[in-house]
Amino acid sequence: MANRSGAAQRPNGQTQGKICQFKLVLLGESAVGKSSLVLRFVKGQFHEYQESTIGAAFLTQTICLDDTTVKFEIWDTAGQERYHSLAPMYYRGAQAAIVVYDITNQDTFGRAKTWVKELQRQASPNIVIALAGNKQDLANKRMVEYEEAQTYADENGLLFMETSAKTAMNVNDIFLAIAKKLPKNEQNAGQTGNNAQGRRLTEGDTGPKTAGNCCK
Amino acid sequence: MDELPSEVDLLIIGTGFIESIISAAASRIGKSVLHLDPNDYYGNQWGSFNLQALLDYNPDPSEPCDFRNKSFSLKNFHYEWLMEDQKEDLLKNSRKFNIDLTPKLHYCRGDFVQLLITSNIARYSEFRSVTRILTWLNGQLELVPCSRSDVFASQKVSVVEKRVLMKLLTSLDDILDSENTHNFKKFLESRKLSDNLVTYVMAMAGATEHTSLGEGVKSVKRFLDSLGRFGKTPYLFSMYGSGEIAQAFCRLSAVFGGIYALNQQNLISLDSEDNRITSLTTTKQQIRAQNYVTSLEQCSEKFLRPVKINNYISRAILITNKSILPSEQEQLSFLIYPEGTERIINVFELGSLTGTCPKNYYLVHLTSKQVTTPQEDFKGALGNLFSGSDQPQIIFSCYFSIPETSDLDFENVPENLFLCPGPDNDLDYNSSIQKAREIFEKMYPDLEFLPRAPDPEEIIIGD
């Protein structure tokens, strides 16, 4: 089970209880249940008639994995996928992605393949991609066979699970599987002191102390 | 593809910087926003492109229509490979480039950074500090000291000068009242500063010999006020290019319900009646809105009279093979290059850490007000910076002119149509954000402009 309190201390910068932070993006057609998966994972909630998540730039959730705390920063498409207008900035720095389709709708599986291609084109080459066949609770209306999706995932090196945001089936598991597959080296530990990442701006942040505040 | 909504509060055409801020601000206060762009990319003239996309960039689409206004498109667009043998390698790395048509810097304590933080945009954008500021003096590059310790460490500044400079800089507020001279440079010289120091202070102000005392002091103050917050210099650059910023505002808009549709080739006309826009007609439907916002570049000529563009911005984009001033660590340099007596060329040299070019290469942006053509305007500077045997070599260059539209006025514009100018020649976004705020306040007087967005932890979902 995901652990929300997992802010492990790192006295004196020791790596005891390392914290790794990752950006994870969701992709997939409208109405396949992207937001529902996130809500289930982050808040343990499900709403049958979930409106798009107004106001959420991203949501966060942490998972404890052996001695490592994995913190996901989960980005939803905010509807920008609907008219194929996702901005390149959406993919920037994403280390993981979940491409979601609806097992009761063959078209969404076809589109999921397109999203995988788009990720391979736009995102970092090392991105960990998981394919989620959502709405598993509606398996009696299934239009996409499990084996078909599994074969496609295997051929493309994707993690694959069928999930249900409604019953919570495999929801934590798919995030956990991603967390296990992500590289947890110093590069991703914490947010500071690493060269590849840029600076996030926060109120009152004075950045690294520079000698003297010139001329003031 | 799904039909677009047929009725919204605000319809925006164009995803340039100003349009994007307005979109975010309107969505943020609960207005329904439909944001369209005939282009298949974000940003218009504020956009950024990978290398291949820049080569394919077509500033003059063949068919002028109601939503492509040629008067406002880029002019003189031209590129050339100076080292053909590197072309293949660079094109292979095309996607590692994020090349801005309009690169900008942010003052660390400027209004814009404040807005990024309070609106919570800063939560999903990354920045790099400009690591050094350079200027050109007596035929060579000089580091502009940016902190007290820089000043005192500099061997080019004598002890007496240090004292004079510190005194001068700490008393800027009183200067304006007490001084008679109206010229910034003459004022500095009257304070018995050496040529070196005058040049440094002029660079901090981005001043020319014609800059007034008032303007100069104001600019130096902005420079000094922004020191010591993030990094060693007063400036930040957006990772992956400035074009990212417009996209970030579009995302904020979408997060608050704004609907996005790019690549809209099927727009036909904005229809007007009694000096008001009544609807947008597309090949498939009619869309009604209370207010309409468009970029000039994507606005029909029938609403834009008279069109008289007096000024252009000269731009050059270079890919080079090393830094203009190599050092152990990769630097993000801002060079203030005085050209003649009345022009400053702003030069940004970006390395791979900015996410705008591959390793072992540098992306160099030059920007200046246009005098003749971009090629001519930068000839002197490029000759000085890139021609010696130990200087970097230019592999690729691209030139173009951006029409300066920020001060244009049009007559008889429909009262619910708001026009967004293209980029200006300023170093930062301040004037543009001001413009966005003005338009927002005209449409929605008394409503708050981009109030703080909630943190992810604060969002309560469901009932």
Side-chain angles (χ1 to χ4, degrees):
Chain A
M1 183 57 206
N3 177 359
R4 293 217 66 200
S5 63
Q9 291 295 312
R10 289 194 297 158
N12 311 322
Q14 295 297 302
T15 50
Q16 169 223 357
K18 193 164 54 173
I19 304 174
C20 292
Q21 183 164 324
F22 298 100
K23 173 176 170 182
L24 180 150
V25 295
L26 283 154
L27 290 165
E29 286 306 271
S30 302
V32 294
K34 297 185 293 297
S35 301
S36 298
L37 279 178
V38 182
L39 282 188
R40 171 58 78 185
F41 175 57
V42 174
K43 307 263 182 192
Q45 298 175 353
F46 178 79
H47 303 280
E48 192 77 53
Y49 301 103
Q50 173 67 44
E51 297 248 339
S52 45
T53 30
I54 297 288
F58 54 79
L59 296 172
T60 56
Q61 178 63 298
T62 50
I63 289 183
C64 284
L65 202 65
D66 303 329
D67 64 336
T68 308
T69 304
V70 172
K71 183 174 183 192
F72 282 115
E73 190 176 273
I74 306 163
W75 290 44
D76 205 343
T77 54
Q80 283 180 306
E81 84 288 4
R82 187 158 167 214
Y83 301 99
H84 309 294
S85 304
L86 264 185
M89 64 101 51
Y90 186 68
Y91 303 98
R92 299 281 184 227
Q95 290 122 319
I98 302 181
V99 177
V100 187
Y101 68 92
D102 170 355
I103 65 161
T104 70
N105 181 335
Q106 181 74 37
D107 286 351
T108 64
F109 181 57
R111 283 293 303 163
K113 293 180 183 173
T114 315
W115 285 113
V116 170
K117 282 200 195 107
E118 184 71 4
L119 276 169
Q120 287 160 345
R121 205 170 64 82
Q122 295 259 19
S124 132
N126 307 320
I127 190 166
V128 173
I129 305 176
L131 180 68
N134 196 35
K135 307 197 186 175
Q136 201 280 337
D137 50 289
L138 302 177
N140 56 342
K141 296 185 192 158
R142 169 191 296 282
M143 296 300 287
V144 182
E145 289 309 318
Y146 183 91
E147 292 72 23
E148 183 189 359
Q150 181 71 63
T151 308
Y152 168 75
D154 290 346
E155 284 166 4
N156 289 274
L158 318 176
L159 294 165
F160 171 63
M161 284 183 200
E162 285 194 344
T163 56
S164 167
K166 188 171 181 176
T167 67
M169 183 188 120
N170 276 344
V171 174
N172 287 337
D173 307 70
I174 198 164
F175 282 92
L176 192 64
I178 292 169
K180 281 184 180 155
K181 203 173 167 188
L182 283 162
K184 283 161 287 293
N185 46 27
E186 285 304 311
Q187 275 273 304
N188 297 305
Q191 262 192 303
T192 50
N194 120 42
N195 238 356
Q197 260 184 336
R199 180 191 291 277
R200 291 281 180 94
L201 309 183
T202 48
E203 192 70 71
D205 186 350
T206 53
K209 291 279 175 274
T210 50
N213 188 353
C214 167
C215 320
K216 292 194 64 180
Chain B
M1 202 182 292
D2 297 354
E3 274 212 349
L4 297 166
S6 57
E7 186 142 14
V8 289
D9 294 327
L10 176 60
L11 178 77
I12 304 180
I13 300 170
T15 51
F17 181 77
I18 297 176
E19 302 94 280
S20 302
I21 291 189
I22 295 169
S23 177
S27 292
R28 183 69 190 84
I29 55 164
K31 302 291 170 188
S32 59
V33 176
L34 175 60
H35 200 163
L36 309 176
D37 198 322
N39 295 321
D40 63 356
Y41 56 86
Y42 278 90
N44 285 2
Q45 294 177 358
W46 317 77
S48 37
F49 298 84
N50 67 39
L51 184 55
Q52 188 59 56
L54 182 73
L55 303 187
D56 297 339
Y57 185 77
N58 179 6
D60 270 323
S62 49
E63 286 174 46
C65 66
D66 243 19
F67 298 92
R68 294 199 191 277
N69 193 323
K70 285 195 172 195
S71 310
F72 300 106
S73 55
L74 299 189
K75 302 286 182 292
N76 305 321
F77 190 86
H78 175 81
Y79 68 82
E80 134 180 59
W81 291 94
L82 290 95
M83 296 168 71
E84 279 282 343
D85 57 324
Q86 307 257 347
K87 184 173 168 180
E88 199 186 325
D89 187 43
L90 285 182
L91 284 179
K92 217 170 19 185
N93 283 298
S94 168
R95 281 193 38 223
K96 294 196 173 139
F97 286 96
N98 283 296
I99 305 174
D100 281 315
L101 296 180
T102 305
K104 295 277 185 188
L105 297 181
H106 319 300
Y107 281 90
C108 293
R109 274 199 192 81
D111 293 348
F112 184 57
V113 163
Q114 214 43 44
L115 181 73
L116 288 174
I117 293 172
T118 57
S119 64
N120 251 340
I121 291 267
R123 291 208 56 152
Y124 42 87
S125 294
E126 291 174 59
F127 299 85
R128 286 272 175 209
S129 298
V130 171
T131 58
R132 65 182 179 187
I133 296 179
L134 305 169
T135 189
W136 182 259
L137 178 64
N138 301 328
Q140 59 182 4
L141 288 170
E142 294 283 351
L143 209 56
V144 176
C146 278
S147 66
R148 193 185 286 267
S149 60
D150 277 0
V151 173
F152 281 89
S154 172
Q155 298 182 348
K156 308 227 165 160
V157 186
S158 75
V159 178
V160 177
E161 281 189 325
K162 281 166 187 160
R163 223 174 293 143
V164 177
L165 179 66
M166 296 315 286
K167 199 173 156 205
L168 174 74
L169 295 178
T170 45
S171 62
L172 282 174
D173 281 326
D174 313 325
I175 286 170
L176 286 178
D177 309 327
S178 59
E179 287 300 321
N180 310 322
T181 169
H182 292 297
N183 178 284
F184 186 56
K185 188 172 185 202
K186 290 208 175 100
F187 159 75
L188 293 176
E189 286 165 348
S190 75
R191 289 303 179 100
K192 310 225 167 8
L193 300 181
S194 70
D195 285 356
N196 274 3
L197 270 190
V198 170
T199 310
Y200 294 154
V201 179
M202 294 280 286
M204 290 178 190
T208 69
E209 298 195 2
H210 297 274
T211 302
S212 73
L213 179 61
E215 265 175 85
V217 168
K218 209 170 115 196
S219 304
V220 173
K221 270 175 67 73
R222 275 184 88 185
F223 182 100
L224 298 176
D225 283 346
S226 280
L227 281 171
R229 184 174 195 189
F230 306 111
K232 286 187 206 157
T233 73
Y235 302 110
L236 292 167
F237 180 75
S238 303
M239 267 191 92
Y240 311 109
S242 303
E244 218 61 7
I245 293 290
Q247 293 174 33
F249 279 99
C250 289
R251 179 166 163 83
L252 182 70
S253 177
V255 160
F256 283 94
I259 296 173
Y260 278 79
L262 269 61
N263 202 13
Q264 294 298 301
Q265 312 275 353
N266 57 356
L267 309 184
I268 295 174
S269 63
L270 278 181
D271 316 307
S272 62
E273 206 181 292
D274 298 335
N275 201 34
R276 285 182 70 81
I277 306 281
T278 50
S279 63
L280 167 74
T281 305
T282 76
T283 51
K284 290 182 187 156
Q285 62 183 125
Q286 268 202 333
I287 303 170
R288 293 179 177 279
Q290 266 144 33
N291 290 299
Y292 298 78
V293 167
T294 81
S295 70
L296 288 181
E297 206 194 351
Q298 289 157 330
C299 185
S300 166
E301 280 173 17
K302 68 186 177 202
F303 301 121
L304 303 178
R305 298 215 179 95
V307 172
K308 189 164 177 294
I309 298 169
N310 299 314
N311 300 307
Y312 285 86
I313 300 163
S314 273
R315 287 275 295 118
I317 293 163
L318 316 172
I319 299 171
T320 66
N321 60 356
K322 66 174 184 182
S323 171
I324 47 175
L325 191 64
S327 80
E328 263 171 46
Q329 285 183 326
E330 182 182 307
Q331 303 274 348
L332 201 175
S333 311
F334 171 29
L335 161 63
I336 297 127
Y337 186 100
E339 176 67 67
T341 57
E342 50 187 85
R343 199 153 61 88
I344 293 286
I345 301 175
N346 286 327
V347 185
F348 306 157
E349 189 190 61
L350 313 172
S352 62
L353 288 177
T354 61
T356 63
C357 77
K359 271 208 177 84
N360 303 320
Y361 294 101
Y362 282 87
L363 183 65
V364 183
H365 285 286
L366 293 90
T367 311
S368 154
K369 74 175 182 197
Q370 181 166 309
V371 182
T372 53
T373 63
Q375 276 94 336
E376 283 300 313
D377 289 347
F378 298 131
K379 205 171 182 179
L382 296 193
N384 283 330
L385 296 167
F386 300 101
S387 58
S389 56
D390 54 346
Q391 288 179 327
Q393 291 176 292
I394 302 173
I395 300 166
F396 166 88
S397 66
C398 174
Y399 294 93
F400 52 92
S401 311
I402 304 175
E404 249 277 28
T405 53
S406 52
D407 49 3
L408 295 185
D409 269 325
F410 302 95
E411 288 160 12
N412 305 321
V413 178
E415 59 187 24
N416 60 343
L417 173 64
F418 299 90
L419 303 169
C420 300
D424 58 29
N425 191 25
D426 294 353
L427 189 58
D428 67 350
Y429 285 118
N430 246 19
S431 311
S432 305
I433 195 127
Q434 198 46 45
K435 183 77 200 172
R437 190 191 286 263
E438 276 167 30
I439 292 176
F440 175 85
E441 283 169 358
K442 269 186 213 154
M443 293 191 295
Y444 309 116
D446 307 325
L447 288 175
E448 198 180 350
F449 180 71
L450 286 172
R452 181 179 166 278
D455 287 328
E457 301 76 32
E458 299 164 358
I459 292 167
I460 296 157
I461 291 144
D463 7 72

